[in-house]
Amino acid sequence: MEKKPLIYFLCTGNSCRSQIADGFLNALGSDKYEVKSAGLEAHGLNPRAVQVMQEAGVDISKNTSDVIDPDILNRADYVITLCGHADEHCPVISNKNVTKWHWGFDDPAKATGTEEEIMNQFRTVRDSIKNRIEQFVKEGK
């Protein structure tokens, strides 16, 4: 069986955006890709991210918030940062064959306002990430 390309989503805390991307790519492309996510730090899985993904029919409740693993980083085929902080502070990747991309999305965890306004920001980011993942799967990149 052919080895699936490893996609490694990175964010600051591996609590929202990278978890959402991980969930959608696993749901939409796990037959084509091995999917992992991590953060510069581990902030724990954000319950609002879990909730908006459940609304979209994807269960990420069993995901864990992990710190970047150098071994996974250096065997990844694609390293995709989802926030500027992770893009700027990503550890050095020794694998010269890796494709590194930055897909910037606002941090929904920083949203303010009523609970409904905050949840709407999570939904907006979720939908933007889903659209980007669908494009990735369709185009193979």
Short mmCIF file of all heavy atoms in Angstrom, two decimals, residues 39-98:
data_model
loop_
_atom_site.label_atom_id
_atom_site.label_comp_id
_atom_site.label_asym_id
_atom_site.label_seq_id
_atom_site.Cartn_x
_atom_site.Cartn_y
_atom_site.Cartn_z
N GLY A 39 0.71 22.22 18.41
CA GLY A 39 0.90 23.64 18.65
C GLY A 39 2.28 23.92 19.21
O GLY A 39 3.00 23.02 19.63
N LEU A 40 2.63 25.19 19.19
CA LEU A 40 3.86 25.61 19.84
C LEU A 40 3.77 25.31 21.34
O LEU A 40 4.76 25.05 22.00
CB LEU A 40 4.11 27.10 19.63
CG LEU A 40 4.26 27.54 18.17
CD1 LEU A 40 4.29 29.06 18.07
CD2 LEU A 40 5.52 26.96 17.56
N GLU A 41 2.52 25.35 21.84
CA GLU A 41 2.19 24.98 23.22
C GLU A 41 0.94 24.13 23.14
O GLU A 41 0.29 24.08 22.10
CB GLU A 41 1.89 26.24 24.04
CG GLU A 41 2.99 27.28 24.02
CD GLU A 41 2.53 28.66 24.48
OE1 GLU A 41 1.32 28.84 24.76
OE2 GLU A 41 3.37 29.55 24.53
N ALA A 42 0.58 23.47 24.22
CA ALA A 42 -0.67 22.70 24.28
C ALA A 42 -1.62 23.41 25.23
O ALA A 42 -1.39 23.44 26.43
CB ALA A 42 -0.40 21.28 24.75
N HIS A 43 -2.64 24.04 24.67
CA HIS A 43 -3.60 24.80 25.49
C HIS A 43 -4.84 24.00 25.85
O HIS A 43 -5.72 24.51 26.53
CB HIS A 43 -4.03 26.07 24.75
CG HIS A 43 -2.94 27.08 24.61
ND1 HIS A 43 -3.08 28.20 23.86
CD2 HIS A 43 -1.68 27.14 25.11
CE1 HIS A 43 -1.96 28.92 23.90
NE2 HIS A 43 -1.08 28.28 24.65
N GLY A 44 -4.93 22.77 25.39
CA GLY A 44 -6.13 21.97 25.64
C GLY A 44 -7.15 22.20 24.54
O GLY A 44 -7.16 23.24 23.89
N LEU A 45 -7.99 21.22 24.32
CA LEU A 45 -9.01 21.28 23.29
C LEU A 45 -10.09 22.27 23.70
O LEU A 45 -10.67 22.15 24.77
CB LEU A 45 -9.58 19.88 23.09
CG LEU A 45 -10.52 19.63 21.93
CD1 LEU A 45 -9.86 20.00 20.60
CD2 LEU A 45 -10.93 18.17 21.91
N ASN A 46 -10.36 23.26 22.85
CA ASN A 46 -11.35 24.29 23.16
C ASN A 46 -12.76 23.70 23.01
O ASN A 46 -13.12 23.20 21.94
CB ASN A 46 -11.17 25.48 22.22
CG ASN A 46 -12.04 26.65 22.60
OD1 ASN A 46 -13.26 26.55 22.61
ND2 ASN A 46 -11.40 27.78 22.87
N PRO A 47 -13.58 23.76 24.08
CA PRO A 47 -14.92 23.17 24.01
C PRO A 47 -15.81 23.81 22.94
O PRO A 47 -16.67 23.14 22.36
CB PRO A 47 -15.51 23.41 25.40
CG PRO A 47 -14.47 24.07 26.22
CD PRO A 47 -13.25 24.31 25.38
N ARG A 48 -15.60 25.08 22.65
CA ARG A 48 -16.40 25.71 21.59
C ARG A 48 -16.01 25.16 20.21
O ARG A 48 -16.87 25.03 19.34
CB ARG A 48 -16.23 27.23 21.62
CG ARG A 48 -16.88 27.88 22.83
CD ARG A 48 -16.68 29.39 22.80
NE ARG A 48 -17.35 30.07 23.88
CZ ARG A 48 -16.74 30.86 24.75
NH1 ARG A 48 -15.43 31.06 24.68
NH2 ARG A 48 -17.44 31.46 25.69
N ALA A 49 -14.74 24.85 20.02
CA ALA A 49 -14.32 24.23 18.76
C ALA A 49 -14.98 22.86 18.62
O ALA A 49 -15.46 22.51 17.53
CB ALA A 49 -12.80 24.10 18.71
N VAL A 50 -15.02 22.11 19.69
CA VAL A 50 -15.68 20.79 19.68
C VAL A 50 -17.15 20.97 19.30
O VAL A 50 -17.69 20.26 18.45
CB VAL A 50 -15.53 20.08 21.04
CG1 VAL A 50 -16.36 18.81 21.08
CG2 VAL A 50 -14.06 19.79 21.34
N GLN A 51 -17.80 21.96 19.92
CA GLN A 51 -19.22 22.19 19.68
C GLN A 51 -19.52 22.58 18.23
O GLN A 51 -20.42 22.01 17.60
CB GLN A 51 -19.75 23.29 20.62
CG GLN A 51 -21.24 23.54 20.47
CD GLN A 51 -21.75 24.63 21.41
OE1 GLN A 51 -21.15 24.90 22.45
NE2 GLN A 51 -22.85 25.24 21.04
N VAL A 52 -18.74 23.52 17.66
CA VAL A 52 -19.04 23.93 16.28
C VAL A 52 -18.70 22.82 15.29
O VAL A 52 -19.34 22.74 14.23
CB VAL A 52 -18.37 25.28 15.88
CG1 VAL A 52 -18.88 26.41 16.75
CG2 VAL A 52 -16.87 25.21 15.86
N MET A 53 -17.74 21.99 15.62
CA MET A 53 -17.45 20.86 14.73
C MET A 53 -18.56 19.81 14.82
O MET A 53 -18.93 19.21 13.81
CB MET A 53 -16.08 20.26 15.07
CG MET A 53 -14.92 21.14 14.68
SD MET A 53 -14.87 21.50 12.91
CE MET A 53 -14.25 19.92 12.29
N GLN A 54 -19.13 19.61 16.01
CA GLN A 54 -20.27 18.70 16.13
C GLN A 54 -21.44 19.20 15.29
O GLN A 54 -22.13 18.42 14.65
CB GLN A 54 -20.68 18.53 17.59
CG GLN A 54 -19.74 17.64 18.37
CD GLN A 54 -20.06 17.55 19.86
OE1 GLN A 54 -20.67 18.45 20.43
NE2 GLN A 54 -19.61 16.48 20.47
N GLU A 55 -21.64 20.52 15.29
CA GLU A 55 -22.69 21.11 14.46
C GLU A 55 -22.46 20.80 12.98
O GLU A 55 -23.41 20.67 12.22
CB GLU A 55 -22.73 22.64 14.63
CG GLU A 55 -23.18 23.11 15.98
CD GLU A 55 -23.02 24.62 16.18
OE1 GLU A 55 -22.67 25.33 15.21
OE2 GLU A 55 -23.25 25.08 17.31
N ALA A 56 -21.20 20.68 12.58
CA ALA A 56 -20.84 20.38 11.19
C ALA A 56 -20.76 18.87 10.93
O ALA A 56 -20.38 18.45 9.83
CB ALA A 56 -19.51 21.05 10.84
N GLY A 57 -21.07 18.07 11.95
CA GLY A 57 -21.07 16.62 11.77
C GLY A 57 -19.72 15.95 11.92
O GLY A 57 -19.54 14.82 11.49
N VAL A 58 -18.76 16.65 12.55
CA VAL A 58 -17.42 16.09 12.73
C VAL A 58 -17.10 16.07 14.23
O VAL A 58 -17.18 17.10 14.90
CB VAL A 58 -16.35 16.91 11.97
CG1 VAL A 58 -14.96 16.35 12.22
CG2 VAL A 58 -16.65 16.97 10.49
N ASP A 59 -16.76 14.89 14.74
CA ASP A 59 -16.45 14.75 16.17
C ASP A 59 -14.95 14.86 16.40
O ASP A 59 -14.19 13.99 15.97
CB ASP A 59 -16.96 13.40 16.66
CG ASP A 59 -16.75 13.19 18.16
OD1 ASP A 59 -16.35 14.15 18.86
OD2 ASP A 59 -16.98 12.06 18.63
N ILE A 60 -14.53 15.92 17.07
CA ILE A 60 -13.12 16.06 17.44
C ILE A 60 -12.94 15.95 18.96
O ILE A 60 -11.88 16.25 19.48
CB ILE A 60 -12.50 17.38 16.92
CG1 ILE A 60 -13.19 18.61 17.52
CG2 ILE A 60 -12.49 17.42 15.40
CD1 ILE A 60 -12.46 19.94 17.27
N SER A 61 -13.98 15.50 19.65
CA SER A 61 -13.95 15.47 21.11
C SER A 61 -12.87 14.56 21.69
O SER A 61 -12.46 14.74 22.83
CB SER A 61 -15.32 15.08 21.67
OG SER A 61 -15.64 13.74 21.30
N LYS A 62 -12.41 13.59 20.90
CA LYS A 62 -11.37 12.67 21.38
C LYS A 62 -9.96 13.14 21.00
O LYS A 62 -8.97 12.52 21.37
CB LYS A 62 -11.60 11.28 20.80
CG LYS A 62 -12.97 10.70 21.09
CD LYS A 62 -13.02 9.94 22.38
CE LYS A 62 -14.30 9.18 22.61
NZ LYS A 62 -15.47 9.98 22.87
N ASN A 63 -9.87 14.25 20.24
CA ASN A 63 -8.55 14.79 19.88
C ASN A 63 -7.81 15.24 21.13
O ASN A 63 -8.43 15.57 22.14
CB ASN A 63 -8.70 15.99 18.93
CG ASN A 63 -9.11 15.60 17.53
OD1 ASN A 63 -9.63 14.51 17.31
ND2 ASN A 63 -8.91 16.49 16.59
N THR A 64 -6.51 15.28 21.04
CA THR A 64 -5.70 15.80 22.14
C THR A 64 -4.96 17.03 21.66
O THR A 64 -4.70 17.19 20.47
CB THR A 64 -4.69 14.74 22.62
OG1 THR A 64 -3.87 14.34 21.53
CG2 THR A 64 -5.40 13.53 23.21
N SER A 65 -4.65 17.91 22.58
CA SER A 65 -3.88 19.11 22.30
C SER A 65 -2.42 18.76 22.55
O SER A 65 -2.04 18.44 23.67
CB SER A 65 -4.34 20.25 23.21
OG SER A 65 -3.61 21.42 22.96
N ASP A 66 -1.63 18.80 21.49
CA ASP A 66 -0.24 18.33 21.57
C ASP A 66 0.75 19.42 21.18
O ASP A 66 0.44 20.29 20.37
CB ASP A 66 -0.05 17.14 20.62
CG ASP A 66 -0.99 15.99 20.94
OD1 ASP A 66 -1.06 15.59 22.12
OD2 ASP A 66 -1.67 15.51 20.02
N VAL A 67 1.94 19.30 21.73
CA VAL A 67 3.05 20.18 21.36
C VAL A 67 3.73 19.58 20.13
O VAL A 67 3.74 18.35 19.94
CB VAL A 67 4.05 20.30 22.54
CG1 VAL A 67 5.29 21.08 22.14
CG2 VAL A 67 3.37 20.95 23.74
N ILE A 68 4.28 20.43 19.28
CA ILE A 68 4.95 19.98 18.06
C ILE A 68 5.98 18.89 18.39
O ILE A 68 6.82 19.05 19.26
CB ILE A 68 5.64 21.16 17.35
CG1 ILE A 68 4.59 22.17 16.88
CG2 ILE A 68 6.49 20.67 16.18
CD1 ILE A 68 5.18 23.49 16.39
N ASP A 69 5.89 17.81 17.64
CA ASP A 69 6.81 16.69 17.77
C ASP A 69 7.84 16.81 16.64
O ASP A 69 7.46 16.72 15.46
CB ASP A 69 6.03 15.37 17.67
CG ASP A 69 6.90 14.14 17.78
OD1 ASP A 69 8.05 14.15 17.28
OD2 ASP A 69 6.44 13.15 18.38
N PRO A 70 9.12 17.00 16.96
CA PRO A 70 10.14 17.18 15.91
C PRO A 70 10.20 16.02 14.93
O PRO A 70 10.46 16.22 13.74
CB PRO A 70 11.45 17.31 16.68
CG PRO A 70 11.07 17.69 18.07
CD PRO A 70 9.69 17.12 18.30
N ASP A 71 9.95 14.80 15.40
CA ASP A 71 9.99 13.64 14.50
C ASP A 71 8.86 13.71 13.47
O ASP A 71 9.09 13.46 12.28
CB ASP A 71 9.89 12.33 15.28
CG ASP A 71 11.12 12.08 16.14
OD1 ASP A 71 12.22 12.57 15.78
OD2 ASP A 71 10.99 11.40 17.17
N ILE A 72 7.65 14.05 13.93
CA ILE A 72 6.53 14.18 13.00
C ILE A 72 6.78 15.35 12.06
O ILE A 72 6.57 15.26 10.85
CB ILE A 72 5.19 14.35 13.76
CG1 ILE A 72 4.88 13.09 14.59
CG2 ILE A 72 4.05 14.67 12.79
CD1 ILE A 72 3.69 13.24 15.52
N LEU A 73 7.25 16.47 12.62
CA LEU A 73 7.54 17.66 11.82
C LEU A 73 8.49 17.34 10.68
O LEU A 73 8.28 17.77 9.54
CB LEU A 73 8.13 18.75 12.73
CG LEU A 73 8.42 20.09 12.07
CD1 LEU A 73 7.13 20.80 11.68
CD2 LEU A 73 9.25 20.97 13.00
N ASN A 74 9.50 16.55 10.96
CA ASN A 74 10.54 16.28 9.96
C ASN A 74 10.22 15.14 9.02
O ASN A 74 10.96 14.91 8.06
CB ASN A 74 11.89 16.10 10.65
CG ASN A 74 12.42 17.44 11.13
OD1 ASN A 74 12.53 18.38 10.36
ND2 ASN A 74 12.70 17.53 12.42
N ARG A 75 9.11 14.44 9.26
CA ARG A 75 8.68 13.44 8.27
C ARG A 75 7.41 13.88 7.53
O ARG A 75 6.93 13.19 6.65
CB ARG A 75 8.54 12.05 8.89
CG ARG A 75 7.43 11.84 9.83
CD ARG A 75 7.40 10.38 10.33
NE ARG A 75 6.32 10.18 11.28
CZ ARG A 75 5.08 9.90 10.95
NH1 ARG A 75 4.74 9.74 9.69
NH2 ARG A 75 4.15 9.74 11.88
N ALA A 76 6.90 15.07 7.89
CA ALA A 76 5.70 15.58 7.24
C ALA A 76 5.97 15.91 5.77
O ALA A 76 7.05 16.36 5.41
CB ALA A 76 5.19 16.81 7.97
N ASP A 77 4.95 15.68 4.95
CA ASP A 77 5.02 16.08 3.54
C ASP A 77 4.55 17.53 3.39
O ASP A 77 5.04 18.26 2.54
CB ASP A 77 4.15 15.14 2.69
CG ASP A 77 4.69 13.72 2.74
OD1 ASP A 77 5.71 13.47 2.09
OD2 ASP A 77 4.10 12.88 3.45
N TYR A 78 3.57 17.90 4.20
CA TYR A 78 3.05 19.27 4.23
C TYR A 78 3.01 19.74 5.68
O TYR A 78 2.49 19.03 6.54
CB TYR A 78 1.62 19.35 3.69
CG TYR A 78 1.47 19.00 2.24
CD1 TYR A 78 1.29 17.69 1.83
CD2 TYR A 78 1.49 20.00 1.27
CE1 TYR A 78 1.14 17.36 0.50
CE2 TYR A 78 1.34 19.69 -0.08
CZ TYR A 78 1.16 18.36 -0.45
OH TYR A 78 1.01 18.05 -1.78
N VAL A 79 3.55 20.92 5.93
CA VAL A 79 3.40 21.59 7.22
C VAL A 79 2.59 22.85 6.92
O VAL A 79 2.99 23.68 6.12
CB VAL A 79 4.77 21.95 7.84
CG1 VAL A 79 4.58 22.83 9.07
CG2 VAL A 79 5.54 20.68 8.20
N ILE A 80 1.42 22.93 7.56
CA ILE A 80 0.51 24.04 7.29
C ILE A 80 0.24 24.78 8.59
O ILE A 80 -0.33 24.21 9.52
CB ILE A 80 -0.81 23.53 6.67
CG1 ILE A 80 -0.51 22.76 5.37
CG2 ILE A 80 -1.76 24.71 6.42
CD1 ILE A 80 -1.70 22.04 4.77
N THR A 81 0.71 26.03 8.64
CA THR A 81 0.45 26.86 9.82
C THR A 81 -0.87 27.59 9.61
O THR A 81 -1.20 28.00 8.49
CB THR A 81 1.59 27.86 10.07
OG1 THR A 81 1.79 28.65 8.90
CG2 THR A 81 2.88 27.14 10.44
N LEU A 82 -1.61 27.74 10.70
CA LEU A 82 -2.94 28.35 10.62
C LEU A 82 -3.03 29.68 11.35
O LEU A 82 -4.09 30.29 11.40
CB LEU A 82 -3.99 27.37 11.18
CG LEU A 82 -4.03 26.05 10.41
CD1 LEU A 82 -4.77 24.99 11.19
CD2 LEU A 82 -4.65 26.24 9.05
N CYS A 83 -1.92 30.12 11.92
CA CYS A 83 -1.89 31.43 12.56
C CYS A 83 -0.50 32.03 12.38
O CYS A 83 0.48 31.30 12.23
CB CYS A 83 -2.25 31.33 14.04
SG CYS A 83 -1.06 30.46 15.06
N GLY A 84 -0.45 33.34 12.36
CA GLY A 84 0.81 34.04 12.12
C GLY A 84 1.87 33.70 13.14
O GLY A 84 3.04 33.56 12.81
N HIS A 85 1.47 33.55 14.41
CA HIS A 85 2.43 33.26 15.47
C HIS A 85 3.13 31.92 15.20
O HIS A 85 4.35 31.82 15.32
CB HIS A 85 1.73 33.26 16.84
CG HIS A 85 2.67 33.11 17.98
ND1 HIS A 85 2.80 31.93 18.67
CD2 HIS A 85 3.54 33.99 18.55
CE1 HIS A 85 3.71 32.08 19.63
NE2 HIS A 85 4.17 33.32 19.58
N ALA A 86 2.36 30.91 14.83
CA ALA A 86 2.97 29.61 14.54
C ALA A 86 3.84 29.68 13.28
O ALA A 86 4.88 29.04 13.21
CB ALA A 86 1.89 28.54 14.38
N ASP A 87 3.38 30.46 12.30
CA ASP A 87 4.16 30.61 11.07
C ASP A 87 5.52 31.23 11.37
O ASP A 87 6.55 30.78 10.89
CB ASP A 87 3.38 31.47 10.07
CG ASP A 87 4.05 31.54 8.71
OD1 ASP A 87 4.60 30.52 8.24
OD2 ASP A 87 4.02 32.62 8.11
N GLU A 88 5.51 32.27 12.20
CA GLU A 88 6.75 32.98 12.53
C GLU A 88 7.66 32.20 13.46
O GLU A 88 8.87 32.37 13.45
CB GLU A 88 6.41 34.32 13.19
CG GLU A 88 5.71 35.30 12.26
CD GLU A 88 5.05 36.45 13.00
OE1 GLU A 88 5.35 36.65 14.21
OE2 GLU A 88 4.22 37.13 12.38
N HIS A 89 7.08 31.33 14.29
CA HIS A 89 7.86 30.63 15.32
C HIS A 89 7.96 29.13 15.10
O HIS A 89 8.36 28.39 16.00
CB HIS A 89 7.27 30.91 16.71
CG HIS A 89 7.37 32.35 17.09
ND1 HIS A 89 6.35 33.25 16.82
CD2 HIS A 89 8.35 33.05 17.68
CE1 HIS A 89 6.72 34.44 17.25
NE2 HIS A 89 7.93 34.36 17.76
N CYS A 90 7.60 28.68 13.91
CA CYS A 90 7.68 27.25 13.61
C CYS A 90 9.13 26.80 13.75
O CYS A 90 10.05 27.48 13.28
CB CYS A 90 7.20 26.99 12.18
SG CYS A 90 7.21 25.25 11.70
N PRO A 91 9.34 25.67 14.41
CA PRO A 91 10.72 25.16 14.52
C PRO A 91 11.32 24.90 13.14
O PRO A 91 10.61 24.72 12.16
CB PRO A 91 10.55 23.84 15.28
CG PRO A 91 9.22 23.92 15.93
CD PRO A 91 8.38 24.81 15.07
N VAL A 92 12.62 24.87 13.08
CA VAL A 92 13.32 24.59 11.84
C VAL A 92 12.97 23.18 11.39
O VAL A 92 12.98 22.24 12.18
CB VAL A 92 14.85 24.73 12.04
CG1 VAL A 92 15.60 24.27 10.81
CG2 VAL A 92 15.19 26.17 12.39
N ILE A 93 12.65 23.06 10.12
CA ILE A 93 12.30 21.76 9.54
C ILE A 93 13.51 21.27 8.76
O ILE A 93 13.95 21.93 7.81
CB ILE A 93 11.07 21.90 8.61
CG1 ILE A 93 9.89 22.51 9.38
CG2 ILE A 93 10.71 20.55 8.01
CD1 ILE A 93 8.73 22.93 8.48
N SER A 94 14.05 20.13 9.16
CA SER A 94 15.24 19.62 8.48
C SER A 94 14.90 18.88 7.19
O SER A 94 15.74 18.73 6.32
CB SER A 94 16.05 18.72 9.42
OG SER A 94 15.29 17.61 9.82
N ASN A 95 13.65 18.44 7.05
CA ASN A 95 13.21 17.75 5.84
C ASN A 95 13.10 18.76 4.70
O ASN A 95 12.22 19.61 4.69
CB ASN A 95 11.85 17.09 6.10
CG ASN A 95 11.24 16.48 4.86
OD1 ASN A 95 11.84 16.45 3.79
ND2 ASN A 95 10.02 15.99 5.00
N LYS A 96 14.01 18.68 3.75
CA LYS A 96 14.04 19.65 2.64
C LYS A 96 12.94 19.38 1.61
O LYS A 96 12.70 20.20 0.73
CB LYS A 96 15.41 19.64 1.95
CG LYS A 96 16.56 19.99 2.89
CD LYS A 96 16.37 21.36 3.52
CE LYS A 96 17.51 21.68 4.47
NZ LYS A 96 17.17 22.59 5.52
N ASN A 97 12.26 18.24 1.70
CA ASN A 97 11.21 17.90 0.75
C ASN A 97 9.83 18.33 1.23
O ASN A 97 8.84 18.09 0.55
CB ASN A 97 11.21 16.39 0.46
CG ASN A 97 12.50 15.97 -0.22
OD1 ASN A 97 12.99 16.66 -1.10
ND2 ASN A 97 13.05 14.86 0.22
N VAL A 98 9.75 18.93 2.40
CA VAL A 98 8.46 19.34 2.95
C VAL A 98 7.93 20.54 2.17
O VAL A 98 8.69 21.39 1.70
CB VAL A 98 8.57 19.67 4.46
CG1 VAL A 98 9.35 20.96 4.69
CG2 VAL A 98 7.19 19.78 5.10
#
